[in-house]
Amino acid sequence: MKAISSDFAFEIAGFEGTYLLVKQAPWPELTPQGEIEVPTVLGGMAYQPQQVKFAGQGPISIMETRAGSVNQLLVGLITKNQGVFDAKIYEGTPMKYIKAKSIRDCFIQLDAPDRDWENRSQVLTFSGTLFFHYFGDDMAGNSTDYR
């Protein structure tokens, strides 16, 4: 089975009943922040990894499939915990997934949506940046296939 980029679900803790169509979100991975150049004998050099990067960020896009649902979520996030939340990203759906990753202390910074009164062929999309911490908290799935 191949992993398909579009087969994921984004679930915010405390808002599990709010099922928004998240078009794009970063998939968290643990990785070194970069490299350290280490001098060796006779003018040579080698590389060594820097510390593991726990803080991440990436683009997020949420589609407004029901009028006001994104605004309602954002207001709920801000009033509940000043916009900071925990979330899970599923490879599949919350009901049937191969694996899930927990991210902590998240917040979303959205750009103003581009509204166009002549465009009647596109769902309103809110785009911005998701900031989060990922510590390698992975959960085994409840299925071998999510399709």
Side-chain angles (χ1 to χ4, degrees), residues 22-41:
V22 176
K23 181 181 174 195
Q24 177 183 23
W27 186 254
E29 293 291 348
L30 288 180
T31 181
Q33 293 187 38
E35 77 287 342
I36 300 170
E37 188 174 310
V38 180
T40 61
V41 296

Side-chain angles (χ1 to χ4, degrees), residues 17 19 31 33 49 56 63 70 75 78-79 100 105 109-110 132 137 140:
Y19 206 77
T31 181
Q33 293 187 38
M63 298 181 80
V70 174
V75 169
I78 289 170
T79 57
D105 301 326
Q109 180 274 313
L110 288 180
F132 60 92
D137 297 331

Side-chain angles (χ1 to χ4, degrees), residues 59-74:
I60 187 166
S61 296
I62 306 169
M63 298 181 80
E64 181 99 290
T65 55
R66 193 180 73 228
S69 59
V70 174
N71 184 65
Q72 186 178 2
L73 171 71
L74 295 173

Side-chain angles (χ1 to χ4, degrees), residues 6 17-18 20 23 28 38 47 74-75 82 86 101 123 126 140:
S6 65
T18 306
L20 295 174
K23 181 181 174 195
V38 180
Y47 289 113
L74 295 173
V75 169
Q82 298 177 348
D86 295 340
K101 297 185 175 217
V123 174
F126 293 83

